[in-house]
Amino acid sequence: SHLLAMQDPISVEANAPYLNTVQRVLTDNLEIRQGETVYTGKTATNKPVHFTSENAEIGKFINVKINKCGAFELYGSEYKEI
């Protein structure tokens, strides 16, 4: 509603410091979205993260590079050190 519409930009701003950071994420779910495997997990600060990975396993930690911030969740992909 109107209140949520006002809250969304504030929440996105609060999540902005996570952008372009690498977060250690505990993987807790996987879904197929539009033919793509998308995992879900949580950061150490309990932020939900949706991410792509070739190596994620439910119940295991993985490093995720955050490339997008939503109002209530973060988005990224598996971070592989070079």
Side-chain angles (χ1 to χ4, degrees), residues 43-81:
T43 67
T45 58
N46 215 30
K47 294 273 186 192
V49 182
H50 303 288
F51 62 97
T52 56
S53 170
E54 296 175 5
N55 302 304
E57 294 180 46
I58 293 173
K60 304 273 182 165
F61 286 97
I62 191 164
N63 289 326
V64 176
K65 173 98 181 246
I66 305 302
N67 56 35
K68 180 181 170 190
C69 298
F72 302 104
E73 63 277 309
L74 306 170
Y75 300 89
S77 57
E78 177 182 359
Y79 177 75
K80 298 176 188 171
E81 294 186 51

Side-chain angles (χ1 to χ4, degrees), residues 4-21 47 66 68-74:
L4 285 176
M6 291 175 58
Q7 179 63 41
D8 280 357
I10 295 167
S11 297
V12 170
E13 186 177 326
N15 284 336
Y18 289 92
L19 191 61
N20 297 317
T21 66
K47 294 273 186 192
I66 305 302
K68 180 181 170 190
C69 298
F72 302 104
E73 63 277 309
L74 306 170

Side-chain angles (χ1 to χ4, degrees), residues 2-35:
H2 180 68
L3 187 57
L4 285 176
M6 291 175 58
Q7 179 63 41
D8 280 357
I10 295 167
S11 297
V12 170
E13 186 177 326
N15 284 336
Y18 289 92
L19 191 61
N20 297 317
T21 66
V22 176
Q23 298 293 314
R24 187 169 185 240
V25 174
L26 178 60
T27 307
D28 61 19
N29 193 24
L30 102 92
E31 298 177 27
I32 306 297
R33 294 184 186 176
Q34 300 174 346

